[in-house]
Amino acid sequence: MIIAVDGPTASGKGTIARALAAHYGLPHLDTGLLYRAVGRQVFLSEGNPDDAGAALAACAFPESLLADPELRSEETGGYASRVSVHPAVRAALLERQQAFANQPGGAVLDGRDIATVIAPHADAKLFVTASVSARAMRRWVEMKQLGKDVERAEIEADLEARDERDRNRAEAPLRQAAGTALLDTSNLTKEMAVATAIALVEKQLGEKA
Ligand code: C5P
């Protein structure tokens, strides 16, 4: 069984995808981490993330980079969003994601284009969203826990800029695919969001059976 979870930054899609993976006993891939690794690699090699050649070269990042805590930072998120507009970068990461999705037994993947590009044949598809203010609040709490003091307004502006870029890029823009269940987590606790996600997946599986 393949479960696709798409949505904007800090919508709760990662938490939901991890919980779905645990619930159904499936492996999970956070595809944003791959783009973050490319972004981080560009930064480390002092390249320009807007330059397609530099971004493509960074796709050969070492596997150990995936464990770098800096991948979670806002700065790396910004770099990730910039490298992800290049079609060559998306193509370079495609096979790895599709192989993960199509492994025997299935998988849960979360990202921006799982239901539209990586696994349009997924058995269940969720589009997780939340208001910008709810997402900024969550990101702010996360940053605080990491000991980083960032202004909420700054996070909100950054999220809006990233949303804009992710939604309007020519290649694989963020959008809700047909046949995808919408889950707005703005006013839901983590537990409620996970329970709703499981119910939506069950409904889709029931409709397919
Ligand atoms: O989800 P996360 O915030 O970690 O993703 C970082 C960036 O990577 C996003 O802003 C987006 O531009 C890019 N991304 C993407 N396609 C995916 C996952 C992430 O373009 N499947």
Side-chain angles (χ1 to χ4, degrees):
M1 169 169 68
I2 303 174
I3 303 178
V5 183
D6 288 304
T9 299
S11 56
K13 67 179 188 314
T15 302
I16 287 171
R18 271 191 303 278
L20 287 172
H23 182 80
Y24 291 105
L26 294 169
H28 165 236
L29 179 65
D30 168 3
T31 63
L33 217 52
L34 303 177
Y35 289 93
R36 284 172 180 267
V38 176
R40 179 83 181 139
Q41 182 66 27
V42 168
F43 171 82
L44 292 173
S45 49
E46 296 177 13
N48 176 1
D50 302 321
D51 178 71
L56 180 61
C59 290
F61 61 81
E63 284 300 300
S64 57
L65 192 61
L66 291 170
D68 181 349
E70 268 308 311
L71 291 196
R72 303 275 170 202
S73 74
E74 282 301 287
E75 192 185 17
T76 304
Y79 266 75
S81 163
R82 287 162 69 185
V83 296
S84 71
V85 305
H86 304 299
V89 168
R90 307 202 70 83
L93 299 180
L94 183 77
E95 198 179 311
R96 178 178 187 153
Q97 296 174 82
Q98 287 186 330
F100 193 92
N102 297 323
Q103 65 186 288
V108 180
L109 287 87
D110 74 84
R112 301 291 187 292
D113 61 345
I114 310 303
T116 51
V117 177
I118 306 297
H121 56 299
D123 302 281
K125 302 171 191 173
L126 300 182
F127 191 85
V128 182
T129 188
S131 66
V132 172
S133 59
R135 290 159 49 209
M137 181 67 186
R138 284 179 199 151
R139 195 33 70 85
W140 181 76
V141 170
E142 248 175 62
M143 290 293 130
K144 268 252 175 275
Q145 285 166 349
L146 290 173
K148 295 192 174 160
D149 212 9
V150 196
E151 288 287 327
R152 274 236 305 278
E154 200 182 305
I155 296 181
E156 211 166 299
D158 191 60
L159 283 181
E160 278 175 331
R162 252 205 273 167
D163 282 0
E164 170 86 11
R165 209 180 292 134
D166 288 352
R167 289 204 163 95
N168 295 314
R169 65 179 175 223
E171 184 93 358
L174 172 67
R175 63 176 174 81
Q176 189 183 347
T180 304
L182 181 68
L183 172 50
D184 187 328
T185 64
S186 304
N187 300 309
L188 301 181
T189 61
K190 180 183 156 189
E191 290 71 25
M192 285 157 78
V194 168
T196 309
I198 293 173
L200 288 170
V201 168
E202 286 298 319
K203 186 164 175 274
Q204 291 187 7
L205 295 178
E207 283 163 2
K208 279 203 138 195

